[in-house]
Amino acid sequence: MKKQRKKKKTRWSVFLKPIKVILFTFLAVMVLGCLAGGAVFLKYQDEILACKEKADSIMSKTSKTDFSQPTDTRVYDSSGTLIGTINSGHYEYVPITGISENLQNAYVAQEDRRFYKHHGIDYQGLLRAGLVFIKNKGVFTQGGSTITQQVIKNTYLSQERTFQRKLTEFFAAPQMEKKYTKPEILEFYCNTNFYANRCYGVSEASRYYFDKEAKDLTIWEAATLAGISNNPSKYDPVAHPEASQKKRNQIINSMAICKFITEEESENAKAQPITVAKIYEPGMKENYQTSYAIHAATLELMKNDGFVFKYVFNNKASYDAYKEQYQELYQTKSDMIRNGGFEIHTSLNTDIQNLLQGMIDDRLKKFKEVQENGKLALQGAAVCVDNRTGYVVAIVGGRGTDDEYNRGFLSRRQPGSTIKPLIDYAPAFESGFYYPSRLVNDNLFDKGPKNSGGKYFGPISVREALNRSLNTVAWQVLADIGVDKGIGYLGKMHFNGLSYLDNGNTSMSIGGFTEGARVVDMAKGYAVLANKGMYSSKSCITSIQSQYDGEIYNQSQADERIFTEDTAYMITDVLKGTLDKPYGTGYGLGLTVPAAGKTGTTNSNKDTWFCGYTKYYTTAIWVGYDTPKAMPGVYGKTYSGRIWHDFMAEINKDLPALDWDMPATVSLSNVDSIGEKTDKETGRKDLFSSVAEAAARADAGRWQQEEERKKLESQSQKNAEAAQQSQMAADQAAAAIQTIINEFNGLQYRDSTTDEKINTAHSLLDQLAGTEYYDSLSPQLEAAINRVMSLPKKEESGTKPQEVGPGVTRPSETTTPVFPGDMEPGGGDGPDQGPDGSDYGPIQVEPGM
């Protein structure tokens, strides 16, 4: 058998054999890869499809604004001056032109060397990471992410190393590369990285670590920042300087390898020591202006969400349900503002603010007692509203500027008598059955409140009762119109903190609230009276700018009518008397311009108030201890009143002395002896509203009752006058008889006039029949007559008859009834005590509740 000859190897066969091996190997790898890929897909197909949908959803909604953090929220006053910064990290977005090329190159060299070549996915890096993933049985221990993928992770995904997150990045990255340019993606990356020490974004990191702008970073500084963002907790140069320097040098080497820098630049950069400036700009300390502005802005954001605010509640269940809903949304919106991204422009006037703060601090400076928490014990708070705009222009929450607790809108205190015009008298005037001249019987009632000083005036006009701040009259008025009706008016004026427990509580008439009233609500309530009965829902917000959504404040809310213009005018006219009537509780606090106001003092003088207004401004002042404490001798007129006077005198001094115009439907009419309108000239006039009278007539049943009341009071008044005249006549007759008795007892002789005097005396005595005088004078007179008749008679010639004693023959005089208490001193504003003598303490609450 012949041996088979071996084929001679040709040059081509030698050349092609390796190619065949390579092709075979490549095909084998491809087949194995497809098989592995198919196996992976079959195993993870649900996760893969879910990640694909998530990536599509993310990229369909992506916007450039997604790649920036919120800037600090800033608050500005009415002149545009920055008055507060709420620190959210001092974040500032920097365009790529403002970022040093050194930092851009450091990131590309260290994180993604093929950044400018790939289209979002670096398949070489991904293959390497995939093999490690398989080797570690489904656990990611090595990255393969491009800068594009990291931007997606930083912005839309978590930092967890999971299969789902990596896959989502894989699907999203190519779509991002189609939508944005490479410089834009690198810009996003630098602005979304976290650099430790509360530094978000390259701008704040450059300021904090090196006290410079991002465009000025040197090679070693850029490498340091690139290292920090790779692992902030590990490479923080403040906490771990050695690890940070090692990472920095590694990145500098990478920059040299990529030819971004020369070897000489590399060595020089690595020779630099790690030095950190640590320039941190804290946010401004929250002050009374900024805290109120944030609160008011929070409420505006709630309105934007359609939240319906409520102020009056029927029962605990409705209150609790509302409170839970309110607090949840309030906290969400407040956190949103404090987390940054807003510019809040306000009506707050810093000059007026400083003046009001200074007035409170100066007037209370001698009170130096300190609480356990280090705060001054005696405090004051105030709010000033510009009546021309409806905006709050100043709010003082306490003494000094170190206390961040803003009592102007956070604390609820018993308002005392300052609540009377708002809950008692203005609602009563609205009914038409009450008016300034109407008489109300001021007496101590069983289970009723007491007047300050224990003095009672009997029938007294509403006007004088309000000026004297008589508690029993206010109590009767609210009981008559209905407590819930009065509370309803407070609700219309957005009084915050009204309790369902106060429904039907007549102590509300004199400020006996379950929870109390806020200073800002009192100021806004009195501003209603100053503004012809209209309530402005404006707080202090004039504009809210969102970093992402632009202008978001809706100023279109219309003013609400609370009281008729007639009621507001008449109450204002009455409250002028508080300042200029000798018996007014605020007498002496008048201004050079027309003004009106009301004092308030609670039980044991624990809360003292003054609320008042001019055509231009309304200001409410509260003075008291944080922990309620008696202040003997302190009333609404003293500290609160003086602060109000001094402040209002200053801000009104250069303004024209404008008064309120009397509405055409209000008339100045004659008033009779029982306070009712009359056509007769009586010498007394007061205000009446035809609008209110029409409202009263519309209530036919009540109108008839009132007419009957007036008739009874008129008849009662006539009877009283008749009784008074009868008593006066009896007093005069008794006095004349006593004169005759005294004369008879002193005579030595009787003369020709004696018989006439005896007859006169008997006639006068007959007039006293049935009175207390008769029984005492009758025996005295008879004894005197018997004595004088026993005297010898004196002969007279040509003399005139002696006249009878003083007042015997003159007719009784009548006097014009004096309107009760008009010029009487006394009364005075003092503690307003509930029917049970109970005390009402302060309630401190969360913002807005």
Side-chain angles (χ1 to χ4, degrees):
M1 196 172 182
K2 293 182 179 180
K3 288 184 179 180
Q4 200 170 12
R5 293 177 59 187
K6 290 184 179 180
K7 290 184 179 181
K8 188 177 179 180
K9 294 182 179 179
T10 64
R11 292 179 181 178
W12 282 106
S13 63
V14 172
F15 176 75
L16 290 174
K17 185 174 181 180
I19 294 176
K20 290 179 181 179
V21 172
I22 292 172
L23 288 173
F24 178 80
T25 303
F26 177 77
L27 290 172
V29 170
M30 288 291 291
V31 170
L32 289 173
C34 289
L35 291 174
V40 170
F41 180 79
L42 289 174
K43 182 175 182 180
Y44 298 105
Q45 60 179 327
D46 291 340
E47 289 88 345
I48 293 172
L49 293 176
C51 291
K52 178 65 169 62
E53 289 180 6
K54 184 175 182 179
D56 292 343
S57 176
I58 289 172
M59 297 314 300
S60 67
K61 300 175 184 177
T62 187
S63 168
K64 283 188 176 182
T65 59
D66 296 346
F67 307 106
S68 64
Q69 295 286 335
T71 58
D72 291 346
T73 288
R74 293 177 171 85
V75 182
Y76 299 87
D77 70 5
S78 58
S79 66
T81 301
L82 181 68
I83 56 175
T85 298
I86 310 304
N87 181 13
S88 62
H90 298 311
Y91 179 84
E92 182 181 347
Y93 189 90
V94 185
I96 194 67
T97 54
I99 299 174
S100 168
E101 287 190 6
N102 290 324
L103 182 61
Q104 298 177 46
N105 293 335
Y107 275 131
V108 171
Q110 183 66 23
E111 302 289 339
D112 190 359
R113 294 182 182 179
R114 290 168 44 79
F115 175 69
Y116 291 106
K117 297 178 181 178
H118 62 65
H119 298 287
I121 301 297
D122 182 0
Y123 290 98
Q124 294 180 14
L126 188 63
L127 179 62
R128 182 178 61 254
L131 292 173
V132 174
F133 173 72
I134 294 172
K135 180 180 178 181
N136 289 280
K137 298 179 181 181
V139 178
F140 278 110
T141 59
Q142 180 175 326
S145 297
T146 63
I147 287 176
T148 307
Q149 288 175 279
Q150 291 184 58
V151 168
I152 295 168
K153 175 190 67 177
N154 291 344
T155 308
Y156 302 110
L157 306 174
S158 70
Q159 300 296 315
E160 295 179 351
R161 293 175 177 269
T162 63
F163 171 78
Q164 290 83 358
R165 195 211 77 197
K166 297 291 290 185
L167 201 56
T168 302
E169 291 175 14
F170 178 85
F171 289 125
Q175 297 184 56
M176 174 168 279
E177 293 265 354
K178 290 178 182 179
K179 192 167 185 176
Y180 301 108
T181 65
K182 291 289 186 179
E184 286 178 323
I185 293 172
L186 195 55
E187 176 181 302
F188 300 157
Y189 187 62
C190 292
N191 281 284
T192 55
N193 277 329
F194 177 57
Y195 294 90
N197 294 295
R198 294 185 285 184
C199 296
Y200 287 91
V202 66
S203 176
E204 176 62 13
S206 299
R207 284 196 300 268
Y208 176 77
Y209 291 108
F210 309 116
D211 193 20
K212 60 176 58 177
E213 295 182 16
K215 64 183 179 64
D216 299 323
L217 294 171
T218 63
I219 293 171
W220 78 266
E221 290 168 344
T224 301
L225 292 189
I228 296 171
S229 63
N230 181 261
N231 192 327
S233 62
K234 185 176 181 179
Y235 300 123
D236 172 7
V238 176
H240 308 289
E242 293 182 0
S244 178
Q245 184 168 352
K246 184 176 180 181
K247 183 67 175 180
R248 180 202 70 176
N249 293 344
Q250 178 188 338
I251 293 173
I252 292 172
N253 289 335
S254 296
M255 293 173 72
I257 292 171
C258 294
K259 306 300 182 182
F260 288 131
I261 57 176
T262 64
E263 287 297 330
E264 181 181 359
E265 289 174 323
S266 173
E267 293 304 317
N268 287 338
K270 287 188 289 184
Q272 300 300 319
I274 290 283
T275 56
V276 177
K278 292 194 289 186
I279 304 299
Y280 180 71
E281 300 177 24
M284 292 184 182
K285 185 175 181 180
E286 201 160 301
N287 56 47
Y288 298 136
Q289 290 174 298
T290 55
S291 64
Y292 178 60
I294 292 169
H295 165 71
T298 300
L299 299 184
E300 293 302 331
L301 295 188
M302 294 172 71
K303 291 178 186 176
N304 287 351
D305 273 13
F307 185 82
V308 179
F309 292 89
K310 296 179 182 178
Y311 304 95
V312 179
F313 304 92
N314 294 327
N315 49 53
K316 185 177 187 299
S318 62
Y319 173 77
D320 288 344
Y322 173 81
K323 183 178 179 181
E324 181 179 359
Q325 182 187 17
Y326 174 97
Q327 289 183 335
E328 181 178 355
L329 186 57
Y330 183 95
Q331 193 63 52
T332 298
K333 297 303 182 183
S334 178
D335 289 346
M336 181 187 301
I337 292 172
R338 293 179 181 280
N339 287 339
F342 294 91
E343 280 191 3
I344 302 173
H345 293 265
T346 74
S347 58
L348 298 171
N349 185 310
T350 299
D351 290 338
I352 296 178
Q353 176 78 22
N354 292 339
L355 177 66
L356 185 54
Q357 182 75 64
M359 293 287 186
I360 289 176
D361 292 344
D362 183 65
R363 183 62 66 170
L364 303 179
K365 64 183 178 182
K366 69 178 182 180
F367 296 94
K368 299 179 180 180
E369 180 186 353
V370 177
Q371 305 176 58
E372 291 182 2
N373 58 14
K375 298 179 182 181
L376 291 165
L378 182 71
Q379 287 291 340
V383 172
C384 179
V385 176
D386 188 328
N387 296 330
R388 295 159 292 186
T389 64
Y391 284 112
V392 172
V393 292
I395 180 167
V396 173
R399 292 170 63 187
T401 56
D402 294 331
D403 185 358
E404 293 187 16
Y405 181 67
N406 194 332
R407 296 162 187 82
F409 77 95
L410 287 174
S411 180
R412 295 181 186 141
R413 304 294 294 230
Q414 298 307 317
S417 291
T418 53
I419 203 64
K420 291 174 182 176
L422 302 178
I423 195 174
D424 304 327
Y425 294 108
F429 281 15
E430 288 286 286
S431 72
F433 297 112
Y434 286 86
Y435 26 86
S437 63
R438 173 167 170 175
L439 300 187
V440 178
N441 192 5
D442 175 36
N443 283 292
L444 180 60
F445 292 85
D446 183 33
K447 298 183 180 179
K450 300 175 182 178
N451 286 341
S452 173
K455 188 173 182 180
Y456 302 90
F457 294 85
I460 190 170
S461 70
V462 164
R463 178 184 291 276
E464 188 176 348
L466 182 49
N467 291 159
R468 289 184 181 276
S469 198
L470 301 179
N471 292 335
T472 67
V473 176
W475 178 73
Q476 291 177 75
V477 169
L478 184 60
D480 186 24
I481 66 171
V483 177
D484 293 349
K485 185 173 184 178
I487 292 175
Y489 276 100
L490 297 186
K492 291 178 182 179
M493 291 182 279
H494 300 187
F495 266 65
N496 196 293
L498 297 172
S499 173
Y500 59 91
L501 295 173
D502 286 324
N503 297 340
N505 173 22
T506 54
S507 291
M508 292 284 283
S509 62
I510 57 173
F513 287 45
T514 296
E515 297 189 1
R518 304 185 305 171
V519 181
V520 67
D521 293 336
M522 295 301 296
K524 294 290 283 184
Y526 271 75
V528 171
L529 301 176
N531 283 300
K532 302 179 180 180
M534 299 296 291
Y535 176 84
S536 173
S537 59
K538 297 171 184 173
S539 53
C540 69
I541 304 298
T542 59
S543 172
I544 302 177
Q545 296 283 340
S546 167
Q547 179 180 343
Y548 304 110
D549 301 318
E551 176 66 46
I552 59 173
Y553 173 57
N554 180 9
Q555 300 185 65
S556 63
Q557 300 126 333
D559 291 350
E560 306 169 51
R561 177 156 296 285
I562 308 300
F563 304 117
T564 64
E565 186 175 349
D566 292 17
T567 290
Y569 179 81
M570 292 192 296
I571 289 291
T572 295
D573 190 72
V574 172
L575 290 178
K576 289 178 181 179
T578 300
L579 309 178
D580 59 30
K581 293 292 184 185
Y583 51 75
T585 56
Y587 183 63
L589 298 179
L591 306 173
T592 57
V593 299
K598 183 72 189 72
T599 55
T601 309
T602 62
N603 288 353
S604 302
N605 305 39
K606 293 179 180 178
D607 291 284
T608 62
W609 294 76
F610 195 94
C611 301
Y613 52 95
T614 65
K615 282 280 288 183
Y616 305 102
Y617 295 101
T618 296
T619 302
I621 309 282
W622 166 84
V623 171
Y625 284 87
D626 276 344
T627 300
K629 179 179 177 181
M631 298 182 288
V634 178
Y635 299 94
K637 179 180 177 179
T638 50
Y639 290 96
S640 297
R642 295 310 307 176
I643 293 168
W644 179 89
H645 172 271
D646 296 348
F647 171 71
M648 291 289 276
E650 184 66 23
I651 63 175
N652 285 276
K653 68 179 182 180
D654 296 325
L655 300 171
L658 293 181
D659 203 346
W660 289 267
D661 296 325
M662 186 166 74
T665 47
V666 173
S667 62
L668 189 61
S669 302
N670 288 307
V671 176
D672 64 18
S673 60
I674 61 169
E676 301 302 328
K677 184 167 61 172
T678 179
D679 294 332
K680 296 179 181 179
E681 183 63 45
T682 62
R684 280 194 54 80
K685 292 187 176 182
D686 214 327
L687 302 175
F688 294 88
S689 165
S690 60
V691 172
E693 184 176 331
R697 286 182 179 274
D699 187 349
R702 177 69 186 274
W703 178 264
Q704 185 61 38
Q705 292 176 9
E706 285 296 304
E707 289 299 298
E708 291 297 325
R709 177 190 65 81
K710 292 176 184 178
K711 289 179 182 179
L712 291 174
E713 288 188 1
S714 179
Q715 186 60 50
S716 176
Q717 180 69 18
K718 291 178 182 178
N719 294 340
E721 291 174 359
Q724 184 180 20
Q725 291 179 357
S726 178
Q727 184 64 45
M728 289 174 62
D731 292 343
Q732 290 176 349
I737 293 172
Q738 190 65 58
T739 300
I740 294 173
I741 292 172
N742 293 340
E743 182 183 347
F744 283 179
N745 288 335
L747 291 178
Q748 299 298 319
Y749 301 92
R750 58 188 173 90
D751 57 25
S752 59
T753 64
T754 302
D755 290 341
E756 181 182 348
K757 291 179 181 179
I758 291 172
N759 291 334
T760 299
H762 279 140
S763 177
L764 292 173
L765 187 63
D766 289 341
Q767 294 178 28
L768 296 178
T771 70
E772 59 183 7
Y773 291 123
Y774 186 87
D775 291 338
S776 65
L777 292 176
S778 180
Q780 294 181 49
L781 178 60
E782 289 304 316
I785 290 174
N786 291 335
R787 177 183 180 282
V788 78
M789 290 304 293
S790 67
L791 295 175
K793 188 173 183 180
K794 182 179 181 181
E795 294 296 334
E796 301 177 24
S797 60
T799 59
K800 294 181 180 180
Q802 187 178 354
E803 293 184 0
V804 180
V808 174
T809 60
R810 288 195 295 270
S812 299
E813 295 181 359
T814 59
T815 58
T816 302
V818 177
F819 203 70
D822 253 2
M823 298 300 294
E824 291 184 51
D829 178 63
D832 297 321
Q833 195 170 43
D836 58 355
S838 58
D839 219 350
Y840 308 105
I843 298 293
Q844 296 182 353
V845 294
E846 293 302 317
M849 283 301 294

